[in-house]
Amino acid sequence: MRDAPTALRGFLPPLAVHLLIGLPTAVVVLCARWYLAHGHCDNGDLRRRDLDLCTYDQIESSGFVLFALVTSAAFVALLLVLFDGLGPLRTGRPIRPRLLTLPAILLPYAAYVALGG
């Protein structure tokens, strides 16, 4: 039977990697939240008297935010496939520690929200 530090040693590297992958994941979540709230704003709203509750900055930024959302989501997906999918297949190591620490990718975003973001 293994003692606790030895058992945890197998989970620390995947946890650290998932925390690092969580940084671009936080960007994905923030871009998605902004785009859901303001992504409907486009140049057609400039002709409206009330601007459809959009500001000029939101109208100008929606294309950039959509691009950032798509590229950062593709980057996160690529990192997860490389680390959680192909990594264990290539090395022959068990996938269980990587799947158990996978929810850690949301911790940087959760910390941002907890700090008032």
Side-chain angles (χ1 to χ4, degrees):
M1 183 155 163
R2 297 177 1 184
D3 56 343
T6 306
L8 287 177
R9 196 172 305 141
F11 289 94
L12 290 180
L15 178 65
V17 171
H18 283 133
L19 285 174
L20 289 174
I21 293 174
L23 296 175
T25 303
V27 172
V28 170
V29 175
L30 290 172
C31 287
R33 283 182 56 189
W34 188 94
Y35 200 76
L36 286 174
H38 307 292
H40 69 280
C41 300
D42 62 359
N43 290 333
D45 293 323
L46 292 173
R47 291 190 225 55
R48 297 180 61 135
R49 181 171 260 205
D50 62 350
L51 290 178
D52 195 26
L53 302 176
C54 295
T55 64
Y56 291 109
D57 291 336
Q58 293 167 349
I59 293 170
E60 291 177 356
S61 300
S62 63
F64 172 74
V65 172
L66 181 61
F67 176 75
L69 174 63
V70 170
T71 54
S72 56
F75 180 65
V76 167
L78 176 70
L79 289 176
L80 288 175
V81 166
L82 289 176
F83 182 72
D84 290 331
L86 298 178
L89 289 176
R90 186 175 39 89
T91 60
R93 292 187 171 181
I95 195 169
R96 184 173 175 230
R98 295 177 185 216
L99 292 180
L100 288 175
T101 59
L102 185 60
I105 65 171
L106 295 176
L107 286 179
Y109 175 73
Y112 170 77
V113 170
L115 293 174

